[in-house]
Amino acid sequence: MKELGLTEADLEEFVRTNVEILFPEGEETLLIIGQQVRNRLSGRADLVALDKKGNIVLIELKRDRDDIAQRKEPFEFQAIRYAANYALIKTQQDIVRQLFAPYIERHRDEPKFQQALSSGLTASELATRILAKFLQDNQAQGTLNRDQRILLIAASFDGQTLSACAWLAKNNIDVRCIIISPMQYDQQYFFKVEQIIPPPALEKYYVEIAEPTISSIATTSLTEMQPRQVLPRMNDLLNWGLVSVGDRLYIRYYDSDSAEIIDHAYVKYQEQKMKYNDWGQKLTGWSSINIYEWTVHEPTNKTLDTLRREKLEELSQDVSVA
């Protein structure tokens, strides 16, 4: 973002006005209810939202990892402190008075607020109506703001922030890290949005089976019927000498807690022999993990997936030359 001349304020405004793009396929519904909200000790939260269950979501933004590193206070600690500010908010009146009405007043000239305010409604009255409709549309029931959630957004994160957030997520704190990568084409900016913590559930990548039809079966080409490429496994990496028994491995963002390769099926971790997937799941607390994509070979600082794909590319080039 720095290279494109984009500031943290630009990122904040983009998220504020396009919050729905953070969550694909309608996964989340957020209502922005606050911006640059100060606490009594002059701490200032970037954006505050409400989710469909009525929980407050603190949204903190940094342009990139350099901005994160230059802070005196760690990014995630700042977010935790601000999230704690909202733990005592339990009623719609609290939300309107402390957050939403000041937010509407701040943006009173925007079309979605301007017409209602010009008709005689106060910011507090409009906030009350919008909030009530949002909660009703989403069928939010019970006590408001049972939990506070944290959403960290940047163009890139440093390893320590990701490590801390992964630990928080593992211990049932609702924290997410989302990367927004900017690209410029002509005079327009495009943004790629990717949630990295917690990682997406593997099931999201599954494609459902469609009901076959006679026409689709008849027109299937021979190329489409070829089996998919089977990627090399751990025993191949060992046989090729890409990794060796005794080499150290670590899971991305958990680089201080490594394991040792025993053979193609097992590693030694904390003096225990365990399978690769069991090690990955124990370390991260995730229910599943793609061990090749997430495991880094310490001597080369490359993931196992990168090592095997580089080898496949090398072999394909040898074949083409021959």
Side-chain angles (χ1 to χ4, degrees):
M1 288 196 178
K2 185 177 181 179
E3 293 174 0
L4 295 178
L6 297 175
T7 66
E8 185 177 313
D10 293 325
L11 177 60
E12 181 177 306
E13 186 62 14
F14 173 75
V15 172
R16 185 185 76 83
T17 55
N18 299 276
V19 69
E20 69 280 352
I21 62 96
L22 299 179
F23 306 100
E25 301 175 359
E27 176 186 303
E28 281 271 13
T29 301
L30 295 184
L31 173 67
I32 299 295
I33 57 173
Q35 182 180 19
Q36 295 296 310
V37 180
R38 291 183 178 275
N39 64 20
R40 293 182 179 178
L41 297 178
S42 298
R44 188 172 60 189
D46 292 332
L47 294 171
V48 183
L50 201 70
D51 69 13
K52 61 184 179 182
K53 294 182 179 180
N55 292 318
I56 286 180
V57 183
L58 175 76
I59 305 175
E60 281 296 300
L61 306 103
K62 288 292 176 285
R63 184 169 56 176
D64 53 37
R65 70 176 68 193
D66 290 337
D67 290 352
I68 295 173
Q70 289 171 11
R71 286 195 51 80
K72 293 182 180 179
E73 181 183 39
F75 190 18
E76 67 281 5
F77 289 176
Q78 176 192 26
I80 291 171
R81 187 178 64 188
Y82 291 162
N85 296 157
Y86 305 111
L88 296 178
I89 294 179
K90 295 298 182 183
T91 68
Q92 294 186 41
Q93 291 79 6
D94 289 340
I95 292 174
V96 168
R97 180 177 57 84
Q98 298 183 46
L99 297 168
F100 203 13
Y103 173 77
I104 289 178
E105 194 63 50
R106 180 188 183 109
H107 297 285
R108 64 179 299 115
D109 293 332
E110 292 187 355
K112 61 183 178 181
F113 300 140
Q114 187 179 40
Q115 184 176 357
L117 293 174
S118 62
S119 69
L121 286 179
T122 66
S124 179
E125 290 169 340
L126 179 56
T128 300
R129 293 187 182 187
I130 294 175
L131 178 60
K133 186 176 187 306
F134 176 81
L135 294 173
Q136 181 180 0
D137 289 347
N138 290 283
Q139 299 180 337
Q141 298 177 353
T143 304
L144 282 176
N145 199 27
R146 289 181 179 273
D147 298 295
Q148 295 74 52
R149 301 170 54 194
I150 296 173
L151 182 57
L152 302 183
I153 300 174
S156 58
F157 287 87
D158 66 289
Q160 290 193 86
T161 298
L162 291 176
S163 177
C165 289
W167 183 86
L168 289 169
K170 178 181 176 181
N171 285 276
N172 300 317
I173 303 298
D174 196 333
V175 57
R176 299 191 185 195
C177 293
I178 293 180
I179 286 178
I180 296 184
S181 306
M183 295 167 282
Q184 184 178 16
Y185 176 73
D186 197 11
Q187 299 300 313
Q188 292 183 302
Y189 292 109
F190 298 86
F191 295 88
K192 176 185 176 183
V193 179
E194 178 185 13
Q195 178 177 304
I196 55 173
I197 290 181
L202 296 180
E203 290 80 0
K204 291 189 177 182
Y205 295 104
Y206 295 172
V207 176
E208 294 181 0
I209 299 296
E211 290 296 327
T213 63
I214 295 176
S215 58
S216 65
I217 295 173
T219 58
T220 301
S221 68
L222 289 176
T223 302
E224 292 171 327
M225 295 176 65
Q226 293 298 321
R228 294 183 179 180
Q229 179 188 36
V230 178
L231 291 172
R233 310 296 290 180
M234 199 64 194
N235 57 334
D236 298 307
L237 273 63
L238 286 164
N239 291 335
W240 284 330
L242 300 177
V243 300
S244 302
V245 172
D247 285 353
R248 307 295 300 186
L249 305 172
Y250 65 87
I251 304 296
R252 280 193 290 167
Y253 316 129
Y254 295 83
D255 51 339
S256 62
D257 214 353
S258 62
E260 178 184 332
I261 296 177
I262 295 178
D263 55 27
H264 72 282
Y266 292 94
V267 295
K268 183 168 72 173
Y269 174 62
Q270 294 181 345
E271 302 305 318
Q272 293 184 353
K273 179 180 178 180
M274 59 180 63
K275 294 183 177 180
Y276 286 83
N277 279 335
D278 293 341
W279 163 60
Q281 290 171 291
K282 178 177 180 178
L283 185 58
T284 62
W286 304 338
S287 59
S288 62
I289 184 171
N290 185 323
I291 205 68
Y292 291 92
E293 291 184 1
W294 283 88
T295 300
V296 179
H297 180 234
E298 197 170 273
T300 62
N301 202 32
K302 295 179 179 180
T303 65
L304 298 180
D305 187 57
T306 297
L307 290 173
R308 65 183 179 178
R309 290 182 184 277
E310 287 180 349
K311 183 63 176 181
L312 288 176
E313 180 66 22
E314 177 187 326
L315 293 174
S316 67
Q317 290 177 356
D318 291 343
V319 171
S320 62
V321 171

